[in-house]
PDB file of all heavy atoms in Angstrom:
ATOM      1  N   ILE M 221      28.679   0.459  29.054  1.00 98.00           N
ATOM      2  CA  ILE M 221      29.794  -0.205  28.400  1.00 98.00           C
ATOM      3  C   ILE M 221      29.720  -1.697  28.870  1.00 98.00           C
ATOM      4  O   ILE M 221      29.515  -1.894  30.000  1.00 98.00           O
ATOM      5  CB  ILE M 221      31.141   0.521  28.576  1.00 98.00           C
ATOM      6  CG1 ILE M 221      32.144  -0.160  27.735  1.00 98.00           C
ATOM      7  CG2 ILE M 221      31.443   0.420  30.065  1.00 98.00           C
ATOM      8  CD1 ILE M 221      33.541   0.596  27.744  1.00 98.00           C
ATOM      9  N   ALA M 222      30.149  -2.536  27.952  1.00 98.00           N
ATOM     10  CA  ALA M 222      30.419  -3.985  28.280  1.00 98.00           C
ATOM     11  C   ALA M 222      31.699  -4.344  27.521  1.00 98.00           C
ATOM     12  O   ALA M 222      32.038  -3.807  26.442  1.00 98.00           O
ATOM     13  CB  ALA M 222      29.271  -4.892  27.918  1.00 98.00           C
ATOM     14  N   HIS M 223      32.437  -5.276  28.066  1.00 98.00           N
ATOM     15  CA  HIS M 223      33.698  -5.703  27.413  1.00 98.00           C
ATOM     16  C   HIS M 223      33.573  -7.183  27.063  1.00 98.00           C
ATOM     17  O   HIS M 223      33.137  -8.024  27.890  1.00 98.00           O
ATOM     18  CB  HIS M 223      34.860  -5.571  28.456  1.00 98.00           C
ATOM     19  CG  HIS M 223      35.157  -4.218  28.767  1.00 98.00           C
ATOM     20  ND1 HIS M 223      36.062  -3.394  28.048  1.00 98.00           N
ATOM     21  CD2 HIS M 223      34.606  -3.315  29.701  1.00 98.00           C
ATOM     22  CE1 HIS M 223      36.154  -2.212  28.597  1.00 98.00           C
ATOM     23  NE2 HIS M 223      35.234  -2.099  29.557  1.00 98.00           N
ATOM     24  N   LEU M 224      33.931  -7.495  25.869  1.00 98.00           N
ATOM     25  CA  LEU M 224      33.803  -8.869  25.293  1.00 98.00           C
ATOM     26  C   LEU M 224      35.254  -9.240  24.776  1.00 98.00           C
ATOM     27  O   LEU M 224      36.061  -8.333  24.620  1.00 98.00           O
ATOM     28  CB  LEU M 224      32.781  -9.006  24.175  1.00 98.00           C
ATOM     29  CG  LEU M 224      31.353  -8.810  24.669  1.00 98.00           C
ATOM     30  CD1 LEU M 224      30.914  -7.436  24.698  1.00 98.00           C
ATOM     31  CD2 LEU M 224      30.426  -9.506  23.760  1.00 98.00           C
ATOM     32  N   SER M 225      35.348 -10.520  24.402  1.00 98.00           N
ATOM     33  CA  SER M 225      36.648 -10.927  23.836  1.00 98.00           C
ATOM     34  C   SER M 225      36.277 -11.929  22.748  1.00 98.00           C
ATOM     35  O   SER M 225      35.451 -12.872  22.950  1.00 98.00           O
ATOM     36  CB  SER M 225      37.481 -11.581  24.881  1.00 98.00           C
ATOM     37  OG  SER M 225      38.783 -11.983  24.281  1.00 98.00           O
ATOM     38  N   THR M 226      37.075 -11.868  21.674  1.00 97.00           N
ATOM     39  CA  THR M 226      36.903 -12.850  20.505  1.00 97.00           C
ATOM     40  C   THR M 226      37.596 -14.077  20.893  1.00 97.00           C
ATOM     41  O   THR M 226      38.402 -14.105  21.868  1.00 97.00           O
ATOM     42  CB  THR M 226      37.401 -12.252  19.222  1.00 97.00           C
ATOM     43  OG1 THR M 226      38.889 -12.079  19.327  1.00 97.00           O
ATOM     44  CG2 THR M 226      36.756 -10.821  18.912  1.00 97.00           C
ATOM     45  N   GLY M 227      37.454 -15.129  20.104  1.00 95.00           N
ATOM     46  CA  GLY M 227      38.080 -16.324  20.288  1.00 95.00           C
ATOM     47  C   GLY M 227      39.702 -16.327  20.213  1.00 95.00           C
ATOM     48  O   GLY M 227      40.393 -17.099  20.796  1.00 95.00           O
ATOM     49  N   ASP M 228      40.148 -15.222  19.520  1.00 95.00           N
ATOM     50  CA  ASP M 228      41.614 -14.975  19.425  1.00 95.00           C
ATOM     51  C   ASP M 228      42.092 -13.887  20.360  1.00 95.00           C
ATOM     52  O   ASP M 228      43.051 -13.233  20.072  1.00 95.00           O
ATOM     53  CB  ASP M 228      42.086 -14.788  18.011  1.00 95.00           C
ATOM     54  CG  ASP M 228      41.431 -13.687  17.353  1.00 95.00           C
ATOM     55  OD1 ASP M 228      40.363 -13.266  17.790  1.00 95.00           O
ATOM     56  OD2 ASP M 228      41.834 -13.294  16.205  1.00 95.00           O
ATOM     57  N   ARG M 229      41.300 -13.605  21.415  1.00 96.00           N
ATOM     58  CA  ARG M 229      41.604 -12.702  22.457  1.00 96.00           C
ATOM     59  C   ARG M 229      41.690 -11.228  22.089  1.00 96.00           C
ATOM     60  O   ARG M 229      42.375 -10.441  22.693  1.00 96.00           O
ATOM     61  CB  ARG M 229      42.918 -13.048  23.136  1.00 96.00           C
ATOM     62  CG  ARG M 229      42.936 -14.507  23.733  1.00 96.00           C
ATOM     63  CD  ARG M 229      44.220 -14.868  24.387  1.00 96.00           C
ATOM     64  NE  ARG M 229      45.336 -14.603  23.513  1.00 96.00           N
ATOM     65  CZ  ARG M 229      46.382 -15.402  23.349  1.00 96.00           C
ATOM     66  NH1 ARG M 229      46.524 -16.509  24.068  1.00 96.00           N
ATOM     67  NH2 ARG M 229      47.387 -15.069  22.654  1.00 96.00           N
ATOM     68  N   ILE M 230      40.995 -10.850  21.031  1.00 97.00           N
ATOM     69  CA  ILE M 230      40.854  -9.436  20.722  1.00 97.00           C
ATOM     70  C   ILE M 230      39.669  -8.867  21.525  1.00 97.00           C
ATOM     71  O   ILE M 230      38.629  -9.483  21.541  1.00 97.00           O
ATOM     72  CB  ILE M 230      40.591  -9.243  19.250  1.00 97.00           C
ATOM     73  CG1 ILE M 230      41.757  -9.930  18.366  1.00 97.00           C
ATOM     74  CG2 ILE M 230      40.421  -7.707  18.839  1.00 97.00           C
ATOM     75  CD1 ILE M 230      43.103  -9.279  18.641  1.00 97.00           C
ATOM     76  N   GLY M 231      39.886  -7.764  22.153  1.00 97.00           N
ATOM     77  CA  GLY M 231      38.821  -7.167  22.931  1.00 97.00           C
ATOM     78  C   GLY M 231      37.845  -6.362  22.157  1.00 97.00           C
ATOM     79  O   GLY M 231      38.219  -5.748  21.064  1.00 97.00           O
ATOM     80  N   VAL M 232      36.574  -6.363  22.641  1.00 97.00           N
ATOM     81  CA  VAL M 232      35.518  -5.652  21.913  1.00 97.00           C
ATOM     82  C   VAL M 232      34.852  -4.919  23.038  1.00 97.00           C
ATOM     83  O   VAL M 232      34.245  -5.482  23.953  1.00 97.00           O
ATOM     84  CB  VAL M 232      34.546  -6.558  21.180  1.00 97.00           C
ATOM     85  CG1 VAL M 232      33.527  -5.765  20.470  1.00 97.00           C
ATOM     86  CG2 VAL M 232      35.340  -7.528  20.205  1.00 97.00           C
ATOM     87  N   GLU M 233      34.859  -3.565  22.898  1.00 98.00           N
ATOM     88  CA  GLU M 233      34.162  -2.704  23.847  1.00 98.00           C
ATOM     89  C   GLU M 233      32.796  -2.345  23.188  1.00 98.00           C
ATOM     90  O   GLU M 233      32.875  -1.776  21.982  1.00 98.00           O
ATOM     91  CB  GLU M 233      34.901  -1.474  24.160  1.00 98.00           C
ATOM     92  CG  GLU M 233      36.124  -1.671  24.912  1.00 98.00           C
ATOM     93  CD  GLU M 233      36.986  -0.375  25.101  1.00 98.00           C
ATOM     94  OE1 GLU M 233      36.912   0.534  24.312  1.00 98.00           O
ATOM     95  OE2 GLU M 233      37.696  -0.259  26.158  1.00 98.00           O
ATOM     96  N   ILE M 234      31.718  -2.609  23.809  1.00 97.00           N
ATOM     97  CA  ILE M 234      30.413  -2.148  23.313  1.00 97.00           C
ATOM     98  C   ILE M 234      29.897  -0.996  24.015  1.00 97.00           C
ATOM     99  O   ILE M 234      29.801  -1.056  25.302  1.00 97.00           O
ATOM    100  CB  ILE M 234      29.371  -3.380  23.419  1.00 97.00           C
ATOM    101  CG1 ILE M 234      29.985  -4.617  22.848  1.00 97.00           C
ATOM    102  CG2 ILE M 234      28.159  -2.969  22.751  1.00 97.00           C
ATOM    103  CD1 ILE M 234      30.134  -4.694  21.284  1.00 97.00           C
ATOM    104  N   PHE M 235      29.591   0.130  23.416  1.00 97.00           N
ATOM    105  CA  PHE M 235      29.131   1.361  24.057  1.00 97.00           C
ATOM    106  C   PHE M 235      27.652   1.628  23.639  1.00 97.00           C
ATOM    107  O   PHE M 235      27.355   1.502  22.495  1.00 97.00           O
ATOM    108  CB  PHE M 235      29.975   2.516  23.537  1.00 97.00           C
ATOM    109  CG  PHE M 235      31.430   2.474  23.961  1.00 97.00           C
ATOM    110  CD1 PHE M 235      32.399   1.736  23.257  1.00 97.00           C
ATOM    111  CD2 PHE M 235      31.812   3.243  25.115  1.00 97.00           C
ATOM    112  CE1 PHE M 235      33.681   1.877  23.574  1.00 97.00           C
ATOM    113  CE2 PHE M 235      33.196   3.213  25.447  1.00 97.00           C
ATOM    114  CZ  PHE M 235      34.138   2.618  24.709  1.00 97.00           C
ATOM    115  N   GLU M 236      26.944   2.125  24.706  1.00 97.00           N
ATOM    116  CA  GLU M 236      25.670   2.821  24.458  1.00 97.00           C
ATOM    117  C   GLU M 236      25.719   4.155  24.968  1.00 97.00           C
ATOM    118  O   GLU M 236      25.691   4.337  26.197  1.00 97.00           O
ATOM    119  CB  GLU M 236      24.509   1.943  25.052  1.00 97.00           C
ATOM    120  CG  GLU M 236      23.118   2.589  24.809  1.00 97.00           C
ATOM    121  CD  GLU M 236      22.022   1.862  25.605  1.00 97.00           C
ATOM    122  OE1 GLU M 236      22.148   0.628  25.745  1.00 97.00           O
ATOM    123  OE2 GLU M 236      21.054   2.505  25.924  1.00 97.00           O
ATOM    124  N   PHE M 237      25.777   5.199  24.208  1.00 96.00           N
ATOM    125  CA  PHE M 237      25.688   6.555  24.629  1.00 96.00           C
ATOM    126  C   PHE M 237      24.318   7.164  24.807  1.00 96.00           C
ATOM    127  O   PHE M 237      23.387   6.726  24.007  1.00 96.00           O
ATOM    128  CB  PHE M 237      26.636   7.417  23.640  1.00 96.00           C
ATOM    129  CG  PHE M 237      28.032   7.111  23.655  1.00 96.00           C
ATOM    130  CD1 PHE M 237      28.539   6.284  22.651  1.00 96.00           C
ATOM    131  CD2 PHE M 237      28.904   7.533  24.666  1.00 96.00           C
ATOM    132  CE1 PHE M 237      29.887   5.956  22.630  1.00 96.00           C
ATOM    133  CE2 PHE M 237      30.213   7.114  24.677  1.00 96.00           C
ATOM    134  CZ  PHE M 237      30.740   6.313  23.683  1.00 96.00           C
ATOM    135  N   GLU M 238      24.194   8.090  25.607  1.00 93.00           N
ATOM    136  CA  GLU M 238      22.847   8.783  25.854  1.00 93.00           C
ATOM    137  C   GLU M 238      22.355   9.448  24.537  1.00 93.00           C
ATOM    138  O   GLU M 238      21.166   9.441  24.206  1.00 93.00           O
ATOM    139  CB  GLU M 238      22.951   9.838  26.920  1.00 93.00           C
ATOM    140  CG  GLU M 238      22.909   9.308  28.313  1.00 93.00           C
ATOM    141  CD  GLU M 238      22.824  10.458  29.257  1.00 93.00           C
ATOM    142  OE1 GLU M 238      23.084  11.540  28.922  1.00 93.00           O
ATOM    143  OE2 GLU M 238      22.427  10.017  30.490  1.00 93.00           O
ATOM    144  N   ASN M 239      23.201  10.106  23.830  1.00 82.00           N
ATOM    145  CA  ASN M 239      22.814  10.866  22.643  1.00 82.00           C
ATOM    146  C   ASN M 239      23.057  10.056  21.347  1.00 82.00           C
ATOM    147  O   ASN M 239      23.317  10.606  20.241  1.00 82.00           O
ATOM    148  CB  ASN M 239      23.538  12.202  22.589  1.00 82.00           C
ATOM    149  CG  ASN M 239      25.018  12.002  22.616  1.00 82.00           C
ATOM    150  OD1 ASN M 239      25.582  10.914  22.844  1.00 82.00           O
ATOM    151  ND2 ASN M 239      25.802  13.141  22.503  1.00 82.00           N
ATOM    152  N   GLN M 240      22.875   8.746  21.443  1.00 85.00           N
ATOM    153  CA  GLN M 240      23.088   7.905  20.269  1.00 85.00           C
ATOM    154  C   GLN M 240      22.315   8.189  19.143  1.00 85.00           C
ATOM    155  O   GLN M 240      21.064   8.521  19.305  1.00 85.00           O
ATOM    156  CB  GLN M 240      22.738   6.436  20.777  1.00 85.00           C
ATOM    157  CG  GLN M 240      23.053   5.379  19.770  1.00 85.00           C
ATOM    158  CD  GLN M 240      24.583   4.730  20.047  1.00 85.00           C
ATOM    159  OE1 GLN M 240      24.952   4.948  21.144  1.00 85.00           O
ATOM    160  NE2 GLN M 240      25.143   4.353  19.085  1.00 85.00           N
ATOM    161  N   LYS M 241      22.951   8.279  17.925  1.00 82.00           N
ATOM    162  CA  LYS M 241      22.189   8.625  16.660  1.00 82.00           C
ATOM    163  C   LYS M 241      22.319   7.373  15.823  1.00 82.00           C
ATOM    164  O   LYS M 241      23.302   6.744  15.676  1.00 82.00           O
ATOM    165  CB  LYS M 241      22.834   9.728  15.938  1.00 82.00           C
ATOM    166  CG  LYS M 241      22.574  11.039  16.631  1.00 82.00           C
ATOM    167  CD  LYS M 241      23.090  12.223  15.818  1.00 82.00           C
ATOM    168  CE  LYS M 241      22.646  13.485  16.632  1.00 82.00           C
ATOM    169  NZ  LYS M 241      23.724  14.443  16.541  1.00 82.00           N
ATOM    170  N   ASN M 242      21.131   6.858  15.423  1.00 81.00           N
ATOM    171  CA  ASN M 242      21.006   5.670  14.597  1.00 81.00           C
ATOM    172  C   ASN M 242      20.414   5.939  13.277  1.00 81.00           C
ATOM    173  O   ASN M 242      19.197   5.824  13.027  1.00 81.00           O
ATOM    174  CB  ASN M 242      20.112   4.713  15.412  1.00 81.00           C
ATOM    175  CG  ASN M 242      20.694   4.415  16.816  1.00 81.00           C
ATOM    176  OD1 ASN M 242      21.807   4.033  16.924  1.00 81.00           O
ATOM    177  ND2 ASN M 242      19.900   4.790  17.743  1.00 81.00           N
ATOM    178  N   PRO M 243      21.283   6.248  12.301  1.00 81.00           N
ATOM    179  CA  PRO M 243      20.734   6.534  10.899  1.00 81.00           C
ATOM    180  C   PRO M 243      20.189   5.289  10.335  1.00 81.00           C
ATOM    181  O   PRO M 243      20.593   4.158  10.656  1.00 81.00           O
ATOM    182  CB  PRO M 243      22.031   7.035  10.165  1.00 81.00           C
ATOM    183  CG  PRO M 243      23.214   6.483  10.987  1.00 81.00           C
ATOM    184  CD  PRO M 243      22.695   6.367  12.427  1.00 81.00           C
ATOM    185  N   ASP M 244      19.292   5.535   9.396  1.00 81.00           N
ATOM    186  CA  ASP M 244      18.631   4.312   8.721  1.00 81.00           C
ATOM    187  C   ASP M 244      19.705   3.567   7.889  1.00 81.00           C
ATOM    188  O   ASP M 244      19.617   2.375   7.826  1.00 81.00           O
ATOM    189  CB  ASP M 244      17.555   4.836   7.710  1.00 81.00           C
ATOM    190  CG  ASP M 244      16.353   5.263   8.592  1.00 81.00           C
ATOM    191  OD1 ASP M 244      16.155   4.813   9.612  1.00 81.00           O
ATOM    192  OD2 ASP M 244      15.566   6.169   8.054  1.00 81.00           O
ATOM    193  N   ASN M 245      20.627   4.320   7.287  1.00 82.00           N
ATOM    194  CA  ASN M 245      21.698   3.648   6.565  1.00 82.00           C
ATOM    195  C   ASN M 245      23.020   4.082   7.141  1.00 82.00           C
ATOM    196  O   ASN M 245      23.493   5.233   6.991  1.00 82.00           O
ATOM    197  CB  ASN M 245      21.592   3.996   5.048  1.00 82.00           C
ATOM    198  CG  ASN M 245      22.732   3.325   4.224  1.00 82.00           C
ATOM    199  OD1 ASN M 245      23.498   2.509   4.739  1.00 82.00           O
ATOM    200  ND2 ASN M 245      22.739   3.650   2.977  1.00 82.00           N
ATOM    201  N   ASN M 246      23.727   3.187   7.882  1.00 80.00           N
ATOM    202  CA  ASN M 246      24.925   3.470   8.545  1.00 80.00           C
ATOM    203  C   ASN M 246      26.137   3.098   7.714  1.00 80.00           C
ATOM    204  O   ASN M 246      27.205   3.217   8.075  1.00 80.00           O
ATOM    205  CB  ASN M 246      24.960   2.725   9.881  1.00 80.00           C
ATOM    206  CG  ASN M 246      25.942   3.244  10.873  1.00 80.00           C
ATOM    207  OD1 ASN M 246      26.150   4.369  10.910  1.00 80.00           O
ATOM    208  ND2 ASN M 246      26.544   2.352  11.670  1.00 80.00           N
ATOM    209  N   PHE M 247      25.953   2.821   6.433  1.00 83.00           N
ATOM    210  CA  PHE M 247      27.076   2.423   5.592  1.00 83.00           C
ATOM    211  C   PHE M 247      27.557   3.578   4.757  1.00 83.00           C
ATOM    212  O   PHE M 247      27.265   3.782   3.546  1.00 83.00           O
ATOM    213  CB  PHE M 247      26.577   1.232   4.591  1.00 83.00           C
ATOM    214  CG  PHE M 247      27.724   0.577   3.868  1.00 83.00           C
ATOM    215  CD1 PHE M 247      28.749   0.108   4.582  1.00 83.00           C
ATOM    216  CD2 PHE M 247      27.594   0.377   2.498  1.00 83.00           C
ATOM    217  CE1 PHE M 247      29.814  -0.623   3.864  1.00 83.00           C
ATOM    218  CE2 PHE M 247      28.655  -0.132   1.846  1.00 83.00           C
ATOM    219  CZ  PHE M 247      29.656  -0.822   2.475  1.00 83.00           C
ATOM    220  N   GLU M 248      28.502   4.380   5.378  1.00 85.00           N
ATOM    221  CA  GLU M 248      29.108   5.476   4.807  1.00 85.00           C
ATOM    222  C   GLU M 248      30.500   5.156   4.577  1.00 85.00           C
ATOM    223  O   GLU M 248      31.423   5.840   5.208  1.00 85.00           O
ATOM    224  CB  GLU M 248      28.899   6.720   5.676  1.00 85.00           C
ATOM    225  CG  GLU M 248      27.339   7.050   5.826  1.00 85.00           C
ATOM    226  CD  GLU M 248      27.063   8.234   6.679  1.00 85.00           C
ATOM    227  OE1 GLU M 248      27.863   8.445   7.771  1.00 85.00           O
ATOM    228  OE2 GLU M 248      26.067   8.903   6.572  1.00 85.00           O
ATOM    229  N   TYR M 249      30.843   4.274   3.665  1.00 86.00           N
ATOM    230  CA  TYR M 249      32.142   3.847   3.411  1.00 86.00           C
ATOM    231  C   TYR M 249      33.074   4.893   2.848  1.00 86.00           C
ATOM    232  O   TYR M 249      34.259   4.822   3.000  1.00 86.00           O
ATOM    233  CB  TYR M 249      32.145   2.666   2.373  1.00 86.00           C
ATOM    234  CG  TYR M 249      31.509   3.069   1.064  1.00 86.00           C
ATOM    235  CD1 TYR M 249      32.274   3.571   0.016  1.00 86.00           C
ATOM    236  CD2 TYR M 249      30.142   2.878   0.895  1.00 86.00           C
ATOM    237  CE1 TYR M 249      31.721   3.957  -1.162  1.00 86.00           C
ATOM    238  CE2 TYR M 249      29.635   3.304  -0.312  1.00 86.00           C
ATOM    239  CZ  TYR M 249      30.383   3.743  -1.360  1.00 86.00           C
ATOM    240  OH  TYR M 249      29.785   4.136  -2.499  1.00 86.00           O
TER     241      TYR M 249
END
Side-chain angles (χ1 to χ4, degrees):
I221 186 170
H223 295 267
L224 292 85
S225 180
T226 66
D228 55 347
R229 301 181 310 220
I230 302 300
V232 181
E233 295 176 329
I234 309 289
F235 292 86
E236 179 188 329
F237 293 100
E238 281 188 342
N239 56 353
Q240 189 91 24
K241 291 187 175 140
N242 304 303
D244 289 335
N245 182 4
N246 202 31
F247 192 52
E248 297 178 329
Y249 60 88

